[in-house]
Amino acid sequence: MKKITIFLFAAMLAVLAACGSDSASKDKIDKIVFADAGWDSIRVHNSIAQKIIEEGFGYKTDVTSGSTAATIQGLRRGDINVYMEIWTDNIKEVYDEAIKKGDIKKVSTNFDDNDQGLYVPTYVIKGDKDRGIKPMAPDLKTVADLKKYPDVFKDPEDSGRGRIINGPSGWEVEKAITEKFKTYGLDETMNNFIPGSDSAAVADLKKAYESGKPWVGYYWSPTWVTAKYDLTLLEEAPFDEKKWNKDKSTAFPPNDVVVAVNKDMEKQAPEVVAFLKKYETSNDLTEEALNYMKEKDASAEEAAVWWMKKHEDLWGSWVKDDVAKKVKDAL
């Protein structure tokens, strides 16, 4: 009986030790994991934050890649610690639920002056004298106007109809634009072309733009595309939540692009969260780095270092002087 009692006591101590170990792991972190949901701007912001966190605070960092849905779930579970670009209105229900349940915490707004919608090269409306391009649709102003121009935006695979490039298959914006086709009557004269990827859409735009041909399709800022090419965002009625929910008959919702962390981060790395609470850029600042990536064929990390050298006063204001000095010395 004595041996059994000693065995049970030892087993109980082992269980308590294990529980204590799990509890401690929630209060301490050695490596901070960022989300990469697949676009260049989030990779640049990841690289900026990683450089500051590694050199200034001494943490290791890593990146987990995946779809928006997968990486948001990773953030909620704690497999991912930091998300530098949550486009809140593109995943409004999931984001609101995660915030409400306390799984994640918004720490700052990275930028809120971005745009998204259907774009055309500006020369389609205004022409381009330097390139010898005459206006092709001088009266084109709104998304609804597009149904008047199937002959301008001809579908190369369907004679007699036009073609609008939607967002990539599976993106939330693709569903919204598909609904806009019905709302604005675009399906009367235009085909809804859904590319398999963002790169396919960009390749199509690049080919058209460089040859001075008409093009219309979905895109957003900040991107190197909107920084490099002179594009015009077609107009829609100002965003109205009721109308948007009914039939998508307004402009896209204003999109606060936020920095969020897993709920445990404030305990695990409070000094890092304090830094992230001050992280704020803009559409133009982000496009600077994206344009550098494109022009120099640079990686996101190389663009981040270039950007940080150019904007030392900005990111230096996000951290204490001693942290800023460490990072500057490393750069």
Side-chain angles (χ1 to χ4, degrees):
M1 187 68 177
K2 185 177 180 181
K3 290 181 179 179
I4 293 173
T5 301
I6 293 172
F7 173 79
L8 290 173
F9 181 70
M12 185 171 67
L13 286 177
V15 170
L16 289 173
C19 290
S21 177
D22 287 343
S23 176
S25 68
K26 290 182 179 180
D27 294 335
K28 186 179 180 181
I29 192 171
D30 297 320
K31 181 169 67 176
I32 295 173
V33 181
F34 288 76
D36 175 5
W39 54 87
D40 285 337
S41 57
I42 195 173
R43 291 169 180 150
V44 168
H45 286 297
N46 282 350
S47 294
I48 293 169
Q50 285 178 269
K51 182 66 71 174
I52 292 171
I53 290 169
E54 288 176 358
E55 303 296 347
F57 297 107
Y59 287 88
K60 297 176 182 178
T61 70
D62 202 354
V63 174
T64 293
S65 301
S67 66
T68 299
T71 49
I72 286 292
Q73 288 306 313
L75 183 68
R76 296 183 72 171
R77 289 192 305 267
D79 301 328
I80 291 171
N81 308 110
V82 180
Y83 213 118
M84 294 301 295
E85 268 192 36
I86 296 183
W87 289 62
T88 54
D89 276 280
N90 284 358
I91 54 166
K92 186 172 177 58
E93 290 183 11
V94 174
Y95 174 76
D96 288 347
E97 179 190 13
I99 290 289
K100 186 177 181 180
K101 289 189 174 182
D103 296 336
I104 69 174
K105 292 184 178 181
K106 170 190 171 183
V107 292
S108 67
T109 298
N110 193 334
F111 51 85
D112 60 5
D113 56 344
N114 51 291
D115 285 315
Q116 62 177 325
L118 293 178
Y119 285 85
V120 298
T122 300
Y123 62 69
V124 169
I125 300 171
K126 297 182 178 180
D128 187 335
K129 290 183 179 180
D130 293 339
R131 297 178 65 190
I133 301 172
K134 295 181 179 180
M136 305 164 197
D139 297 323
L140 175 61
K141 292 183 179 180
T142 70
V143 171
D145 289 339
L146 285 170
K147 63 184 176 183
K148 304 174 186 176
Y149 297 98
D151 292 339
V152 173
F153 304 102
K154 292 180 180 179
D155 188 331
E157 299 177 357
D158 189 357
S159 177
R161 291 180 66 84
R163 184 175 76 170
I164 296 173
I165 307 296
N166 200 331
S169 176
W171 288 22
E172 286 298 315
V173 295
E174 178 255 303
K175 300 173 186 176
I177 292 173
T178 295
E179 192 167 344
K180 287 175 183 290
F181 261 76
K182 297 177 182 178
T183 297
Y184 295 132
L186 301 178
D187 52 1
E188 296 171 13
T189 61
M190 308 291 283
N191 289 331
N192 180 12
F193 186 88
I194 301 173
S197 65
D198 170 49
S199 59
V202 172
D204 194 64
L205 168 59
K206 183 175 182 288
K207 180 180 178 182
Y209 197 99
E210 293 180 355
S211 59
K213 302 295 184 183
W215 185 91
V216 58
Y218 170 79
Y219 224 73
W220 75 97
S221 68
T223 62
W224 71 262
V225 173
T226 49
K228 180 179 178 65
Y229 298 127
D230 184 4
L231 305 175
T232 294
L233 179 65
L234 295 178
E235 298 174 10
E236 295 183 76
F239 173 72
D240 179 281
E241 188 172 4
K242 288 184 178 179
K243 291 181 179 179
W244 176 264
N245 291 335
K246 180 183 177 183
D247 58 12
K248 303 295 185 286
S249 59
T250 73
F252 277 85
N255 226 323
D256 283 353
V257 180
V258 308
V259 178
V261 299
N262 176 265
K263 66 181 186 298
D264 295 323
M265 267 291 286
E266 285 189 304
K267 290 182 179 179
Q268 295 169 329
E271 69 277 40
V272 171
V273 173
F275 145 58
L276 292 172
K277 284 181 177 179
K278 296 182 179 181
Y279 197 107
E280 181 180 350
T281 63
S282 68
N283 183 87
D284 289 347
L285 284 167
T286 303
E287 283 193 340
E288 282 185 17
L290 298 175
N291 201 37
Y292 180 87
M293 281 182 71
K294 182 62 179 176
E295 294 296 327
K296 303 296 184 181
D297 193 24
S299 67
E301 184 178 359
E302 290 168 339
V305 169
W306 170 84
W307 187 93
M308 291 175 73
K309 288 179 178 179
K310 185 177 180 183
H311 297 288
E312 285 188 353
D313 290 344
L314 174 60
W315 65 260
S317 69
W318 301 338
V319 294
K320 293 181 179 179
D321 290 345
D322 60 326
V323 173
K325 185 178 186 306
K326 291 178 184 177
V327 178
K328 289 176 184 179
D329 289 346
L331 291 175

